[in-house]
Amino acid sequence: MTENAPTVDAAAQSSHLRIDTTRPHTARIWNYWLGGRDNYEVDRATGDRIRELHPGIGAYARADRLFLGRAVKHLVTEAGIRQFLDIGTGLPTADNTHEVAQRLAPDSRTVYVDNDPLVLAHARALLTSTPEGRTDYLDEDLRNVDALLEHAAKTLDFDAPVALMLLGVIIFIGDDEDPYGLVRRLVDRLPAGSRLVLSHTITSPAMPDVDEAVTFWNEHGTPKLTQRTPKDVARFFDGLELLEPGVVSCSRWRPEDIAGGAEPDEVAMFGGVARKP
């Protein structure tokens, strides 16, 4: 546990007052699709309905999680990154960012950021660390860039490269909120050599059931989602050095060896990794 843990515990107690168990919530549904237990009947019912509309939803939830693991492994072993700013953390499951990083480099530091009261209530599961490294958690909105980075600087050294992890979170930023400018503001505050890791659900004529599922969610759940095309997702990396194979289905970003060499199935979650020059 970090020295900040008591503050999180106090906030976690009060957060129960903000948790609405009568409406489905995306973090809990995502947890359900990943096989977790931190969800309610309303989340499971909605998750099952979305899976009826888009049967591949569970596969792309898992693909996004595996993409996180492969990206962190690359950043630690090939890029020498030891600092991670993971915004839009979601509920803890297996192989969280700090766990993957510290298995490979025990001195790695991770700051998780989320403004979901349920995630805050489970922050204890995230606030574990090797003795050599450190892990911390911020109850903050990604839109509050200045406050977020000010608090993160208590754990991370912003004079050294940082990996900015934005996995499945920008979908919650509407077009009227300037999502590209928001990501740029975050990246601009990072030193050269930092990395951006971003994934985003896509809309595509080849996957019409995804749009139907998102429409259903926006009618019944919270927070609302904004779909973007693969080309739109790639725009988040403008001005950065995009690593091969570019912005692709998360299942196809440097997949582990597969028997027979078959290419993994494409999922409606695209992602990429880029370096800040």
Side-chain angles (χ1 to χ4, degrees):
M1 299 288 288
T2 73
E3 61 199 44
N4 301 78
T7 301
V8 172
D9 288 345
Q13 293 176 6
S14 64
S15 72
H16 287 291
L17 301 176
R18 295 188 285 148
I19 297 175
D20 183 357
T21 61
T22 65
R23 296 190 66 190
H25 193 284
T26 181
R28 300 193 305 248
I29 293 176
W30 200 261
N31 176 266
Y32 170 54
W33 287 330
L34 288 172
R37 296 179 293 179
D38 298 313
N39 48 75
Y40 298 94
E41 178 57 36
V42 65
D43 306 307
R44 295 187 287 274
T46 303
D48 288 340
R49 176 57 181 149
I50 292 174
R51 188 150 42 195
E52 290 175 6
L53 295 170
H54 177 42
I57 190 70
Y60 86 65
R62 291 188 294 273
D64 187 54
R65 198 68 186 180
L66 293 172
F67 166 65
L68 179 151
R70 295 196 302 274
V72 171
K73 180 180 178 181
H74 160 77
L75 293 171
V76 172
T77 60
E78 298 183 43
I81 299 293
R82 295 294 182 270
Q83 303 188 107
F84 298 84
L85 180 57
D86 189 332
I87 304 177
T89 304
L91 291 171
T93 57
D95 285 341
N96 301 294
T97 296
H98 77 284
E99 294 171 326
V100 177
Q102 290 185 348
R103 275 201 302 268
L104 300 166
D107 60 333
S108 297
R109 294 185 171 203
T110 299
V111 172
Y112 292 104
V113 182
D114 209 300
N115 67 342
D116 187 321
L118 187 64
V119 176
L120 180 60
H122 288 263
R124 261 202 209 108
L126 291 169
L127 292 180
T128 59
S129 178
T130 58
E132 303 93 331
R134 188 172 176 191
T135 306
D136 209 347
Y137 179 91
L138 302 180
D139 178 18
E140 188 58 83
D141 192 297
L142 112 91
R143 299 168 182 84
N144 300 329
V145 173
D146 292 339
L148 186 161
L149 294 177
E150 179 183 351
H151 287 93
K154 297 176 181 178
T155 300
L156 305 178
D157 175 9
F158 283 100
D159 289 327
V162 175
L164 173 61
M165 314 286 290
L166 297 173
L167 298 180
V169 64
I170 300 300
I171 192 173
F172 302 118
I173 306 297
D175 290 335
D176 60 334
E177 299 179 276
D178 188 17
Y180 298 101
L182 179 58
V183 172
R184 176 53 55 194
R185 286 176 61 203
L186 286 163
V187 172
D188 283 349
R189 297 282 292 274
L190 303 180
S194 293
R195 267 62 170 184
L196 170 63
V197 182
L198 183 146
S199 67
H200 197 299
T201 309
I202 64 157
T203 178
S204 167
M207 302 177 182
D209 53 340
V210 178
D211 294 338
E212 189 176 357
V214 169
T215 297
F216 174 83
W217 170 259
N218 284 340
E219 291 172 350
H220 298 88
T222 182
K224 305 305 180 186
L225 310 179
T226 298
Q227 288 286 83
R228 296 183 173 96
T229 67
K231 185 177 180 179
D232 292 333
V233 176
R235 282 184 56 201
F236 287 108
F237 297 94
D238 284 355
L240 304 176
E241 298 171 353
L242 194 60
L243 277 61
E244 293 293 339
V247 177
V248 297
S249 167
C250 285
S251 59
R252 295 178 177 178
W253 194 90
R254 303 190 179 189
E256 305 293 342
D257 292 338
I258 299 176
E263 186 175 45
D265 290 338
E266 188 173 69
V267 297
M269 179 70 80
F270 273 44
V273 180
R275 178 183 181 275
K276 180 179 178 180

